[in-house]
Amino acid sequence: HDRAVARAAAGRAEEAKADLARAQELNLKAKRWTELGSNRYVLASILAQEGKTAEALASALAALEADKKAESARNIPLDLAAAASLSSRLGRDAEAWGYWRRSFESGMATDDEASVRKALAALVDLAGRLGRTSDKERYAKLLGQVGEVDKGSK
């Protein structure tokens, strides 16, 4: 996995994908779900950079399934955000809406402020594009409140 990430960063995507395929095979066989999820997430990133958006989405959703099996609550909002972004790139905004909502909810459940902010900002933008005025207003208000509880208690 680490070698694949380094190769991808060096612009050696084909070698990185081959390394990830080997790592996925080993991690699947050993039922190392968290590592498998990471392999698939990195593969999704590489595929997205190559413009293979539909394949990248499939890999992001496969990462989500592995992270669910691992009960890796910290990774689930990230997987959902990747799936949402890729769905939007494919012009599937209604599908992206569902992934962003789930990413927001997962981020709230794990107290992941960065994921919550990212999901809320995306929901505000997407609500505007989908004509969901009341949702846009509600999510914009929530976005403005993120972190206020912590600030008030200091």
Side-chain angles (χ1 to χ4, degrees):
H1 176 86
D2 292 339
R3 184 170 63 181
V5 171
R7 286 182 170 171
R12 296 164 50 191
E14 291 307 314
E15 292 173 70
K17 289 190 293 186
D19 287 343
L20 288 168
R22 284 190 295 278
Q24 285 184 74
E25 185 180 321
L26 293 171
N27 289 325
L28 182 59
K29 187 179 284 186
K31 297 182 181 181
R32 291 188 297 240
W33 306 120
T34 301
E35 291 83 358
L36 182 63
S38 293
N39 299 151
R40 291 172 172 174
Y41 187 88
V42 171
L43 179 59
S45 296
I46 293 169
L47 292 168
Q49 289 174 351
E50 293 178 334
K52 298 176 180 173
T53 310
E55 291 176 54
L57 176 57
S59 190
L61 292 173
L64 175 62
E65 290 310 310
D67 285 330
K68 284 180 182 178
K69 284 184 181 180
E71 297 180 6
S72 181
R74 285 276 178 211
N75 291 335
I76 289 172
L78 305 175
D79 297 335
L80 289 163
S85 295
L86 293 163
S87 292
S88 282
R89 286 189 202 173
L90 290 169
R92 294 163 24 188
D93 286 341
E95 181 179 290
W97 177 267
Y99 291 134
W100 280 122
R101 287 229 358 146
R102 290 170 54 201
S103 180
F104 164 67
E105 292 164 359
S106 296
M108 289 292 291
T110 59
D111 200 26
D112 181 350
E113 187 175 321
S115 290
V116 168
R117 282 185 185 282
K118 183 176 182 175
L120 284 172
L123 286 165
V124 169
D125 177 62
L126 198 52
R129 287 188 284 162
L130 293 172
R132 300 177 76 136
T133 307
S134 62
D135 285 326
K136 181 176 181 172
E137 292 169 2
R138 182 166 44 102
Y139 287 125
K141 183 177 178 181
L142 286 171
L143 181 58
Q145 295 172 343
V146 172
E148 283 187 11
V149 173
D150 290 335
K151 291 177 191 171
S153 65
K154 290 183 180 176

